[in-house]
């Protein structure tokens, strides 16, 4: 629930300005299907409501077997509650209304309806697989209703806790007898996302292998692991037959076309052309009774959880906020080990100071214990986030960017976002940057950075073990994606584990045993080589990793080198900071008034249209192609991946407001990938975009 609240609070840092104006465009042809006949009636005489939120699907048969099956289970389990439905995909809602005359609310519509019906206690339970962009968007919509109901509680997606992963694994393989056949590979195809939750797929695969199913692989259409990585793994396992399953709640458009279609770019075609016997099974996760029980358990947990709360704004004496007074607040967990602090945190701060000489660079630590030790022992004063923010306010800084040095977007990062959010009204612009590992390109950069500085990774008789901290937060999956990235890049003898999360030292030991090495070099996968590195990793106690590995018969050499000592890791932090500064948004006391937006585009053959769905206050636009086949949009050197499954390709990109934005967009509609150039015209100053596009 802490993650739910943090996402809610973080949303206040950037306000949405308005939905973008769009022109009427021709619609995609939609295949006719039989009408919906089996709806779940909503109980209307209760003051307690459960809102089941799904992405949705226009495939009626699979919806009945999946989404409606989940809703029926919840209705049966909670007869005193009014169980409602909402879809997040507006395109699907529109298709169902036009084609089948079926009304489905979006999240806002459903919340409004419950309010009008006198519901007082609300539980919102998503059927999303992971805590990704769809889930974040849902939380932001729900947060607008805090205070309008007595309570609002939000459940977690399918794969959140380690317990969820284990339950889903058990449910899946209870119904797949071929999993025990050595010549058969089971491949699950997920959607994939640009969101950090994409790491969920890697954790699921590693935990599947840990459960003994070595011939099972997980890939994604639009994330990591890709089809290429999956095919390499299938080839390595020696399988002759491949069974494909969708790793999605419903077996809809992606399962039917991207997985099981006859087009050149489908997974079925790729495996068939590679010489495998291929069988496709269009079974959504919602058809599995064991999976539905996991959702039921999440509803139960949500009912018992703490309700969502609004942001409590700080109340301090403010100076004159001048936008030209710019400050960078570098936030670290901190360490009481002075030498490693100088080599890591201070090195990062020095790089930032050199890169941004016109900005005031400040420091804050999140660990109050460390702050107190430094003050008592060394007479060294370090601010916590609250103190640092209030000093910036008092000194009249109007533009502030907060850059964390955290490795993953976990609990510590959430706490920073939450605390910073409470000061939003005091600044003209206030933005929080990203931690080190967010997109997959970050993982690849970190792997390359470590490989360049760890010579043992090239040795044949030595394994490299990286020890991370670990967390119960969903971002713990980052360690699994890092492990898979090392493997995908050919570093088969590099292993990642955690002190307090997954993978554990037990998984590391299993990997070492299969590698056949005799020597292990230990490195901390943390910004600083502090207490955990000195004691949990390199200590002489029985439960240190050094002692455990030595007891298992390995020659062990610990290296106390924090990630902050690696110049390439520091360069990645600077890259994130540069992106944050470039795209920073406004955090004024009140949202800007909604502006009328005029939008048009040029380019392409005319068969595909582009609409602007939303313009956000940080000059980020949500654009949508009328085709399902667009994979990415590129601006300069940066690629933005398709965000949503469904009938339209959707991207959130930075745009030139009151000007022209040139983009390149890749489509696979013609078999082979093809890049098409477009120009986007977007104006809020009264200019007619269509006229500008026609000049």
């Amino acid at each position: 629930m802490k993650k739910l609240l943090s996402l809610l609070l973080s949303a206040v840092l950037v306000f949405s300005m308005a939905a973008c104006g769009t022109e009427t465009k021709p619609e995609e042809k939609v295949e006719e299907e039989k009408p919906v006949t089996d709806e779940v009636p909503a109980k209307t005489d209760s003051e307690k409501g459960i809102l089941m939120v799904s992405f949705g699907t226009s495939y009626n048969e699979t919806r009945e077997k999946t989404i409606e099956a989940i809703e029926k289970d919840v209705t049966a389990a909670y007869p005193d509650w009014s169980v409602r439905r909402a879809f997040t995909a507006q395109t699907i809602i529109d298709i169902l209304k036009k084609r089948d005359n079926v009304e489905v609310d979006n999240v806002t519509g459903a919340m409004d309806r419950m309010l009008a019906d006198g519901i007082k206690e609300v539980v919102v339970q998503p059927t999303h697989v992971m805590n990704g962009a769809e889930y974040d968007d849902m939380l932001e919509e729900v947060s607008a209703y805090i205070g309008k109901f007595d309570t609002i509680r939000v459940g977690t997606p399918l794969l959140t806790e380690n317990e969820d992963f284990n339950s889903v694994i058990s449910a899946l393989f209870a119904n797949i007898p071929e999993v025990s056949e050595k010549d058969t590979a089971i491949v699950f195809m997920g959607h994939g996302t640009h969101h950090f939750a994409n790491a969920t797929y890697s954790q699921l695969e590693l935990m599947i292998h840990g459960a003994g199913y070595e011939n099972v692989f997980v890939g994604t259409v639009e994330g990591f692991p890709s089809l290429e990585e999956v095919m390499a793994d299938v080839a390595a396992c020696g399988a002759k037959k491949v069974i494909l399953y969708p790793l999605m709640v419903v077996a809809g458009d992606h399962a039917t076309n991207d997985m099981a279609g006859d087009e050149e770019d489908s997974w079925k075609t790729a495996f068939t052309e590679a010489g495998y016997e291929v069988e496709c099974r269009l079974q959504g996760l919602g058809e599995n009774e064991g999976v539905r029980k996991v959702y039921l358990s999440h509803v139960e947990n949500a009912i018992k959880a703490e309700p969502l709360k609004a942001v409590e704004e700080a109340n301090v004496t403010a100076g004159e906020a001048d936008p030209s007074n710019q400050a960078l607040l570098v936030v670290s967990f901190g360490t009481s080990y002075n030498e490693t602090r100088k080599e890591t945190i201070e090195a990062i701060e020095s790089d930032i100071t050199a890169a941004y000489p016109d900005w005031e660079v400040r420091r804050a630590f999140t660990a109050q214990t460390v702050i107190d030790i430094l003050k008592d022992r060394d007479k060294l004063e370090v601010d916590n986030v609250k103190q640092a923010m209030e000093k910036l306010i008092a000194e009249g800084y109007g533009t502030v960017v907060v850059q964390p040095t955290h490795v993953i977007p976990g609990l510590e990062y959430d706490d920073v976002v939450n605390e910073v959010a409470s000061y939003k009204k005091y600044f003209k612009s206030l933005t929080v940057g990203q931690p080190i590992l967010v997109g997959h390109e970050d993982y690849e950069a970190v792997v390359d950075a470590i490989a360049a500085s760890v010579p043992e990774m090239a040795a044949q008789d030595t394994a490299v073990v990286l020890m991370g901290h670990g967390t119960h937060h969903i971002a713990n999956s980052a360690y699994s994606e890092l492990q898979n990235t090392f493997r995908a890049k050919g570093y088969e003898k590099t292993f990642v584990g955690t002190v307090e999360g997954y993978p554990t030292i037990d998984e590391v030991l299993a990997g070492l045993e299969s590698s056949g090495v005799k020597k292990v070099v230990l490195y901390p996968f943390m910004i600083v080589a502090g207490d955990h590195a000195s004691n949990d990793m390199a200590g002489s106690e029985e439960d240190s990793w050094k002692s455990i590995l030595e007891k298992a018969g390995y020659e062990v050499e610990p290296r106390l080198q924090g990630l902050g000592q690696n110049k390439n890791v520091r360069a990645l932090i600077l890259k994130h900071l540069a992106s944050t500064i470039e795209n920073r948004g406004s955090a004024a006391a009140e949202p800007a008034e909604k502006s009328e937006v005029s939008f048009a585009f040029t380019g392409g053959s005319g068969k595909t249209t582009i609409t602007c769905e939303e313009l956000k206050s940080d000059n980020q636009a949500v654009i949508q192609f009328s085709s399902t086949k667009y994979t990415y949009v590129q601006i300069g050197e940066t690629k933005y991946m398709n965000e949503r499954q469904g009938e339209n390709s959707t991207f959130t990109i930075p745009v030139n407001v009151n000007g022209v934005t040139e983009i390149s967009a890749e489509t696979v509609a013609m078999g082979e990938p093809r890049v098409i150039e477009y120009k986007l015209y977007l104006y809020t100053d009264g200019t007619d975009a269509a006229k500008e596009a026609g000049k």
Side-chain angles (χ1 to χ4, degrees):
M1 182 53 70
K2 189 171 186 181
K3 173 62 181 172
L4 306 182
L5 181 57
S6 69
L7 287 171
L8 165 65
L9 296 179
S10 65
V12 303
L13 289 179
V14 179
F15 295 104
S16 295
M17 288 174 62
C20 299
T22 59
E23 299 176 4
T24 302
K25 303 291 182 182
E27 295 182 354
E28 293 284 317
K29 183 178 179 181
V30 180
E31 183 180 353
E32 291 294 327
E33 293 201 11
K34 68 177 183 177
V36 179
T37 58
D38 193 10
E39 293 297 314
V40 179
K43 181 181 177 65
T44 58
D45 59 349
S46 176
E47 293 185 347
K48 300 186 295 183
I50 298 174
L51 179 61
M52 302 297 298
V53 179
S54 305
F55 180 85
T57 180
S58 61
Y59 288 68
N60 293 336
E61 185 176 351
T62 190
R63 185 175 61 253
E64 293 169 4
K65 295 178 181 178
T66 56
I67 293 172
E68 291 181 13
I70 296 169
E71 293 168 344
K72 286 180 178 178
D73 286 354
V74 173
T75 302
Y78 298 96
D80 296 331
W81 292 67
S82 174
V83 178
R84 309 291 182 96
R85 170 188 297 171
F87 287 174
T88 58
Q90 190 61 46
T91 50
I92 290 174
I93 292 172
D94 295 341
I95 288 170
L96 293 175
K97 179 174 175 59
K98 181 177 180 180
R99 187 190 68 194
D100 301 333
N101 198 30
V102 169
E103 299 272 358
V104 179
D105 287 327
N106 57 27
V107 173
T108 297
M111 295 294 283
D112 286 341
R113 193 183 300 274
M114 287 195 292
L115 200 60
D117 289 345
I119 300 292
K120 295 181 178 179
E121 298 179 38
V122 175
V123 169
V124 180
Q125 176 58 52
T127 67
H128 302 108
V129 175
M130 64 182 61
N131 305 56
E134 287 288 333
Y135 181 69
D136 287 356
D137 290 345
M138 180 202 75
L139 277 176
E140 189 171 352
E141 283 192 77
V142 169
S143 72
Y145 291 85
I146 295 176
K148 296 182 180 180
F149 297 91
D150 287 356
T151 59
I152 301 175
R153 294 175 169 88
V154 182
T156 56
L158 180 65
L159 295 175
T160 303
E161 304 285 346
N162 285 351
E163 177 184 345
D164 299 332
F165 286 84
N166 289 325
S167 297
V168 168
I169 290 168
S170 297
L172 291 176
F173 299 118
N175 297 312
I176 304 177
E178 295 88 354
V179 74
S180 61
E181 298 177 5
K182 293 184 178 180
D183 64 344
T184 300
I186 310 298
V187 173
F188 289 97
M189 185 194 81
H191 185 273
T193 173
H194 68 290
H195 192 279
F196 74 83
N198 188 84
T200 302
Y201 298 107
S202 289
Q203 179 166 342
L204 180 63
E205 182 180 90
L206 288 183
M207 293 186 77
I208 288 172
H209 291 172
Y213 304 114
E214 295 287 346
N215 60 329
V216 179
F217 306 97
V218 179
T220 68
V221 181
E222 298 173 7
F224 175 87
S226 67
L227 175 59
E228 182 180 359
E229 278 88 32
V230 172
M231 293 190 74
D233 289 339
V234 171
C237 83
K240 296 179 180 179
K241 179 180 179 179
V242 174
I243 301 177
L244 292 171
Y245 283 90
L247 188 69
M248 304 171 184
V249 171
V250 301
D253 183 72
H254 281 292
T256 302
N257 297 310
D258 295 313
M259 188 189 84
D262 294 323
E263 295 82 2
E264 291 183 9
D265 59 343
S266 77
W267 286 34
K268 173 189 172 187
T269 300
F271 278 109
T272 300
E273 290 182 349
Y276 296 97
E277 176 188 350
V278 182
E279 180 181 349
C280 298
R281 296 185 180 169
L282 295 176
Q283 299 173 14
L285 294 174
E287 297 181 48
N288 188 303
E289 182 180 1
V291 170
R292 296 201 301 272
K293 286 181 179 178
V294 176
Y295 283 118
L296 272 177
S297 71
H298 287 197
V299 174
E300 181 181 358
N301 292 337
I303 290 173
K304 299 175 182 177
E306 289 293 317
L308 296 182
K309 296 179 181 178
V311 177
E312 293 183 9
E313 292 185 348
N315 186 16
V316 298
T317 302
E320 186 67 29
D322 182 353
S324 65
N325 286 346
Q326 304 177 124
L328 297 171
L329 179 61
V330 184
V331 179
S332 305
F333 179 85
T335 179
S336 60
Y337 288 67
N338 292 336
E339 184 176 351
T340 190
R341 184 180 64 253
K342 293 174 183 177
E343 294 173 335
T344 56
I345 293 172
E346 292 182 14
I348 295 167
E349 294 167 345
S350 295
D351 287 355
I352 291 173
T353 301
Y356 297 95
D358 297 331
W359 291 66
E360 172 73 8
V361 178
R362 301 283 180 91
R363 170 191 296 172
F365 287 175
T366 58
Q368 190 61 47
T369 303
V370 171
I371 292 172
D372 294 340
I373 290 173
L374 293 176
K375 182 177 180 179
D376 294 340
R377 187 190 67 193
D378 303 332
K379 309 305 179 196
L380 177 63
E381 298 276 355
V382 179
D383 289 333
N384 57 31
V385 174
K386 178 179 183 293
Q387 292 166 332
M389 293 298 293
E390 293 185 358
K391 284 182 180 178
L392 291 170
I393 292 168
E395 294 171 27
Y397 285 92
T399 300
V400 173
V401 173
V402 179
Q403 179 58 50
T405 66
H406 299 90
V407 177
I408 62 175
L411 291 173
E412 287 289 334
Y413 178 72
D414 285 351
D415 288 344
V416 172
V417 172
N418 294 347
E419 195 157 12
V420 170
S422 68
Y423 296 99
K424 64 182 176 65
K425 70 179 181 180
Y426 295 100
F427 299 93
K428 301 298 184 183
S429 176
L430 177 62
T431 316
V432 181
Q434 294 180 331
I436 293 175
L437 293 177
V438 180
H440 187 65
E441 64 276 8
D442 298 333
Y443 291 86
E444 293 188 331
V446 167
V447 167
D448 291 342
I450 292 173
S453 62
V454 178
E456 296 87 358
M457 284 176 60
Q460 294 299 312
D461 61 346
T462 302
V464 174
V465 173
L466 302 172
M467 186 194 81
H469 187 277
T471 174
H472 296 294
H473 189 279
I474 59 168
N476 189 86
S477 293
Y479 299 104
S480 296
E481 182 159 346
L482 183 67
Q483 175 70 78
N484 271 356
T485 307
F486 276 114
R487 185 165 54 84
K489 282 182 165 284
Y491 301 110
E492 298 284 348
K493 293 175 181 170
T494 299
F495 303 95
V496 181
T498 67
V499 181
E500 298 178 8
Y502 178 89
T504 68
I505 184 63
D506 292 333
E507 279 76 40
V508 171
L509 284 167
L512 289 171
E513 184 177 354
S514 64
S515 72
V517 300
K518 300 296 183 183
K519 181 178 179 180
V520 175
V521 181
L522 282 172
Y523 285 87
F525 189 70
M526 304 171 184
I527 286 292
V528 301
D531 186 68
H532 282 293
S534 298
N535 297 311
D536 295 314
M537 187 188 84
S540 56
E541 296 81 2
E542 287 185 9
D543 58 348
S544 77
W545 283 32
K546 176 177 178 288
S547 297
I548 292 170
L549 291 170
E550 286 177 339
K551 187 176 181 180
Y554 297 99
E555 177 188 350
V556 182
E557 183 178 348
R559 301 274 176 83
L560 296 178
Q561 298 176 18
L563 291 174
Q565 294 176 243
N566 190 311
K567 65 179 181 179
N568 292 323
V569 172
R570 298 200 302 271
L572 181 58
I573 294 173
L574 275 173
K575 181 180 178 182
H576 282 316
L577 175 57
S579 177
T580 302
I581 290 174
E582 181 181 354
N583 298 313
R584 64 186 183 274
S586 172
E590 297 296 335
E593 291 186 6
K594 293 185 177 181
S595 304
E596 292 297 326
V597 177
S598 178
F599 176 81
F601 73 94
T602 59
S605 65
K607 294 182 179 179
T608 299
T609 60
I610 306 174
T611 56
C612 178
E613 301 299 305
E614 181 183 359
L615 175 63
K616 300 181 179 181
S617 63
D618 55 352
N619 291 350
Q620 298 278 317
V622 180
I623 64 169
Q624 197 169 85
F625 290 77
S626 59
S627 166
T628 64
K629 298 298 183 179
Y630 282 79
T631 58
Y632 69 78
V633 165
Q634 184 165 347
I635 301 176
E637 299 298 319
T638 304
K639 290 182 179 179
Y640 302 86
M641 307 310 294
N642 186 10
E643 298 171 0
R644 304 175 189 268
Q645 58 181 349
E647 276 62 29
N648 298 84
S649 305
T650 304
F651 306 85
T652 301
I653 61 172
V655 292
N656 297 319
V657 178
N658 300 322
V660 182
T661 304
E662 296 185 6
I663 66 172
S664 302
E666 183 188 72
T667 178
V668 293
M670 291 154 278
E672 291 296 321
R674 179 182 174 189
V675 176
I676 301 174
E677 306 296 328
Y678 293 96
K679 290 184 178 180
L680 309 181
Y681 300 78
L682 191 150
Y683 296 89
T684 62
D685 61 1
T687 301
D688 188 330
K691 287 184 178 180
E692 291 298 310
K695 288 181 179 179

